[in-house]
Amino acid sequence: MSNSRGRGLQANVLGTFDTVVMAVAGSAPAYSLAATTAVLVGAVGLAGPAALLYCAIPMLGIALAFSYLGRIDVNAGASYSWVGRTLHPFLGFISGWALVISATIFMVAGSLPAGSMTLALFDDTLADNTALATVVGAVWFLVMLGVVLGGARLTVRAQLIMSGVELAILALFAVLAFFHTGNARAFDWSWLGFSHFDGMAGFASGALVAAFYYWGWDVTSNLSEETRDSRRTTGLAGLIGVGIVFLLFEVFTIAVNVILTSRQIEENDANVLAVLGEEVWPGWGGKLLIVAVMLSTIATLETTLIQVTRSLFAMGRDRTMPSALGRVHRRWNTPWVAIVVVGAVALVMFIASNALGSVGDILSDAISAIGLQIAVYYGLAGLAVVVAYRKTLLTSPANFLFGGLWPLCGALFMFWVFVESLSELSSAAITIGVGGLAVGLVPMLWYWRQGSDYYRPAKLDASRAVETDYVPDEQAAHARVHEGLSTDF
């Protein structure tokens, strides 16, 4: 493979519609519902709709933070760059590392359901075979690895097909569930209140799981260097994405409460959605929703690969990780070294995960661990926007609310959930979640000692940023430094 060290990613490949599709695919509505509903019910019982509702409000605050920060710093590393240039480079690195670790863990947690869903289309008994599910999941993972290596344009085309079919199936079942009779229990407005939570700790553990549901919409920010008019587009797409998946999550979580018994949920912990489909439309329903979950899982493997490889690309470019990670393929304009490294690490982890138990057991601990890491980097981004915009917050009510107060509340919520849920989680989930973050201290301190420029940042200040579209100079399209804001790396 040929490469050039100074090349950049291919600019202006994605449009607004493309990035909205990527935001929705990143949150993976069908996968999140199938793999996480049993975990959510285990944490909060019938309060699942409430947990998703009360997590959506601060999550919108974080989406606003990403939107505002993306206007003044276009960087494939997103929160890694923003937090490093506002709060402290060490916190910026930990922010980027949290994304890298959570995404890598997810690729193992996500590939297993991709394998088991594929097997379930042919034989339900095969879906419980962890070894076989791992092999099939690994094949899907390698296919997505090839798509991501082929460039942003190919990635979006694949995404349009997978997410389009997934959303069409989900919309159909949302309507069918509404007219379904013979329910396990009647709808109750208290499911959207606080009465079903087991105290504040119970609410926090539910919110941690809910954060995992939403996670992934911020892939739009990692694609900012490849998006047209990205200062406006990536943030808007993230906000629209959160709104769409919130509606889907609420509709289906309420449908699960109404239609399925606690025993059905418990017995089908790795795919609650297929059981719901079978209840709503016997015969065909289960199969169709398995197709939706399979496509959703494969689609989100793709967006997660983009997030982790673009983050590692930014780190390699800044020499806060091995500089080879910042290399871009001459033909495809993708960070091929980062993609190959992530692929190799994830495949090793797939094989290791076989020793850990069933698909359901692996998912439960992984989801909670990832939730902790998500809370860290989302929370830091929420603080970063307040610091970056501190001089302009009082210039208008909109700036104060959307660029300051709401993101700040979102950040505080994320940190509160992190601390509060530690007492509720299993030791395995805490070890994976906090231990994974701690490992990042090694490369951080090593490259800080090596004198990376990242650790001497140009501070991000919205009041000094010139509002201009991010359009790289054609002659400098392959250079590391882009035209645009003076504050860009």
Side-chain angles (χ1 to χ4, degrees):
M1 283 188 179
S2 56
N3 63 74
S4 174
R5 196 163 178 164
R7 292 172 65 82
L9 301 169
Q10 190 172 0
N12 301 325
V13 176
L14 309 179
T16 305
F17 180 72
D18 301 328
T19 45
V20 170
V21 169
M22 295 302 278
V24 173
S27 290
Y31 165 79
S32 298
L33 288 160
T36 321
T37 299
V39 183
L40 185 64
V41 170
V44 297
L46 293 171
L52 287 163
L53 170 63
Y54 298 122
C55 194
I57 298 165
M59 190 59 77
L60 272 173
I62 302 303
L64 284 164
F66 272 70
S67 175
Y68 271 73
L69 287 163
R71 294 178 193 179
I72 56 172
D73 181 18
V74 173
N75 192 294
S79 62
Y80 153 80
S81 170
W82 305 330
V83 174
R85 297 180 60 192
T86 50
L87 305 179
H88 193 279
F90 283 0
L91 290 174
F93 184 88
I94 290 299
S95 184
W97 183 259
L99 192 158
V100 168
I101 290 294
S102 56
T104 307
I105 295 168
F106 172 76
M107 282 183 281
V108 177
S111 293
L112 282 166
S116 60
M117 290 302 113
T118 307
L119 293 168
L121 286 175
F122 303 100
D123 185 349
D124 285 338
T125 55
L126 287 176
D128 294 326
N129 185 327
T130 306
L132 197 56
T134 304
V135 171
V136 177
V139 171
W140 276 123
F141 175 74
L142 288 170
V143 170
M144 287 302 104
L145 202 70
V147 171
V148 171
L149 190 61
R153 198 171 270 120
L154 175 62
T155 304
V156 165
R157 283 174 184 161
Q159 200 60 262
L160 285 169
I161 296 167
M162 293 186 291
S163 296
V165 175
E166 172 202 352
L167 291 174
I169 294 172
L170 287 179
L172 170 66
F173 277 87
V175 174
L176 291 175
F178 186 76
F179 293 106
H180 180 69
T181 54
N183 300 326
R185 54 181 78 81
F187 171 75
D188 191 333
W189 282 105
S190 70
W191 298 342
L192 294 166
F194 283 95
S195 60
H196 290 281
F197 291 112
D198 182 19
M200 275 301 178
F203 173 67
S205 59
L208 194 73
V209 178
F212 176 81
Y213 270 84
Y214 290 108
W215 177 53
W217 54 265
D218 50 306
V219 65
T220 58
S221 297
N222 297 105
L223 285 165
S224 60
E225 293 184 29
E226 297 153 271
T227 305
R228 289 192 294 278
D229 190 17
S230 67
R231 297 193 185 286
R232 182 190 66 85
T233 305
T234 55
L236 178 65
L239 287 162
I240 294 170
V242 172
I244 291 171
V245 296
F246 164 71
L247 292 173
L248 286 169
F249 290 155
E250 283 296 331
V251 167
F252 276 90
T253 311
I254 290 169
V256 165
N257 275 5
V258 169
I259 295 168
L260 299 184
T261 63
S262 302
R263 187 174 176 183
Q264 282 176 304
I265 295 167
E266 200 176 311
E267 287 175 354
N268 299 277
D269 57 354
N271 189 12
V272 173
L273 217 52
V275 190
L276 181 72
E278 199 58 43
E279 284 286 330
V280 172
W281 185 1
W284 276 98
K287 292 289 187 205
L288 272 175
L289 277 175
I290 285 173
V291 170
V293 175
M294 184 185 83
L295 289 172
S296 179
T297 311
I298 297 162
T300 199
L301 278 177
E302 184 187 85
T303 58
T304 309
L305 269 167
I306 287 171
Q307 284 198 281
V308 69
T309 55
R310 296 313 188 267
S311 296
L312 286 172
F313 163 75
M315 290 169 149
R317 184 173 62 185
D318 294 337
R319 289 166 179 71
T320 56
M321 290 282 276
S323 59
L325 294 170
R327 290 181 184 167
V328 173
H329 193 274
R330 188 179 295 281
R331 180 178 171 191
W332 298 320
N333 286 99
T334 49
W336 69 270
V337 177
I339 292 169
V340 169
V341 168
V342 166
V345 170
L347 286 172
V348 169
M349 287 173 68
F350 288 161
I351 296 160
S353 70
N354 251 316
L356 297 177
S358 74
V359 175
D361 295 339
I362 293 167
L363 278 176
S364 182
D365 285 336
I367 286 164
S368 298
I370 291 169
L372 289 172
Q373 292 157 356
I374 295 164
V376 168
Y377 89 86
Y378 277 177
L380 288 171
L383 292 181
V385 74
V386 178
V387 175
Y389 279 84
R390 65 192 181 282
K391 294 176 185 172
T392 62
L393 289 181
L394 298 178
T395 56
S396 74
N399 268 6
F400 179 74
L401 177 62
F402 301 131
L405 185 61
W406 201 340
L408 179 62
C409 290
L412 295 175
F413 180 82
M414 292 295 163
F415 293 134
W416 174 79
V417 165
F418 180 93
V419 173
E420 192 71 25
S421 59
L422 287 175
S423 62
E424 295 286 303
L425 296 179
S426 68
S427 54
I430 293 172
T431 303
I432 298 167
V434 180
L437 289 174
V439 170
L441 297 176
V442 178
M444 182 182 82
L445 294 171
W446 172 262
Y447 285 98
W448 171 62
R449 292 287 302 273
Q450 300 296 309
S452 163
D453 286 345
Y454 174 81
Y455 294 106
R456 296 186 296 277
K459 287 293 182 184
L460 202 54
D461 184 348
S463 65
R464 290 192 284 116
V466 183
E467 282 296 338
T468 177
D469 287 336
Y470 176 77
V471 183
D473 186 323
E474 286 305 314
Q475 284 72 39
H478 302 314
R480 180 176 169 231
V481 179
H482 300 297
E483 296 295 316
L485 284 186
S486 56
T487 51
D488 281 341
F489 273 112

